[in-house]
Amino acid sequence: MSRRIVILGAGESGAGAAALAQKEGFDVFVSDASSIHPKYKKMLDDRAVPWEEGRHTEDRILAADEIIKSPGIPDHAPVILKIKEENIPILSEIEFAGRYTDSKMICITGSNGKTTTTMLTRHIFENAGLDAGLAGNVGNSLALQVAENPHTYYIIELSSFQLDNMYDFRADVAVLLNITPDHLDRYHYDFREYAASKFGIVRNQTADDAFIFWNDDPVIREGIEKFKPKATLYPFSENRKPGVKGYVEDGQIIMETLNGIYTMDRDLLSLKGTHNLYNSLASGITAKVSDIRDERIRMSLSDFCGVEHRLEMVTRVRGVDYINDSKATNVNSCWYALQSVNTPIVLILGGTDKGNDYSEIEQLVKKKVRALIFMGVDNRKLHAFFDGKVALIKDADSMEEAVNKAYNLAVKGDTVLLSPCCASFDLFENYEDRGERFKNCVRSL
């Protein structure tokens, strides 16, 4: 009798996992407490996978040998608590997909910068003529690609939620960019628990693998002492220090690997700013340890165009720049954005708070921000922290209202920056929807 796999959540990862599970001969059932997007219904129907939406039928779910859980479902959801009571193993789509492929896995995580680094790494691999699929939080489901469109390499952006349900999966190259407070509502508001989750990326690595990380993050240094990764270590930093393998010296980027030393002028990097230097170093070291030729790395680091909704210049209206940083769903992302803007700022903040501590951006806000606009269903926490610290503070309950207020507050030479610090689910479908609406409102000014 075939083993039974139940998949909770029928988005990109769930539908992809269903396709792979069915191909591998499992008895598959998909259950989603919300409605399923027509695209994914068709995917399931085309493969004759049974599904339900708008509910979780308990007896069908608890009959599973294994459960594949969407990363968006929290551990305290009632159905998950029931599954744990029954001691049914819960795994992520990435863990499941890893069982059925021997392809090289390049895995990238961090609180900030992981999408840019993932897309840049994929850009380098493609320019080098390598067959590289994009998966995880970006691109298509890893499981679906393994089932129906396999690649030699996979460049995978991993969130802590995905890492939480990975056990035997091994990353050939693991990249850890930084660890700052984020999603603490999913980790009992315990930063150490969240940090430990991020270190799941080095689990099962061997001395033949590479671990690339930001040298100057004290939380990462502490994690290395605690978890003692077995992989070859490639720390990177802005400046040369003992043991650091990627750094800048005399205007030159230098990366030292077992495959040789790579150098290029820092000025040639297409992505500007210190945070993007780190993203470029992480991607460059990944490429070099993967034995990609120097000229291909240089070309790709020089011509990459960046990621939509991340410090994306929209347009200039009457001498005011409008920047879409909707992807800044935590405080540290906003800190990077404020650091990168050198003009007075009208800052749009707000959304679904995930346990944010705004003290991290307090000094930059006082120094650089002319006016704050709070855009959310509930702005009380923002007012409690920022009232009295910035002269001009306004509320808005729609993107149109926020952009119009920003337009009236900004003067020539200013920057209007959407960098919300928060998740988008109070007013928008997701951060992409929020960013698109911002761009549309700005372009119709």
Side-chain angles (χ1 to χ4, degrees), residues 7 11-21 40 43-44 93 96 141 143-144 147:
I7 295 160
E12 180 68 28
S13 70
L20 178 59
Y40 298 121
M43 263 183 72
L44 297 170
E93 172 238 348
F96 182 64
S141 153
L144 184 64

Side-chain angles (χ1 to χ4, degrees), residues 91-112:
L91 54 147
S92 74
E93 172 238 348
I94 306 289
E95 170 76 12
F96 182 64
R99 294 176 180 176
Y100 300 102
T101 176
D102 293 322
S103 299
K104 293 283 188 191
M105 298 293 184
I106 291 157
C107 300
I108 296 160
T109 196
S111 303
N112 294 295

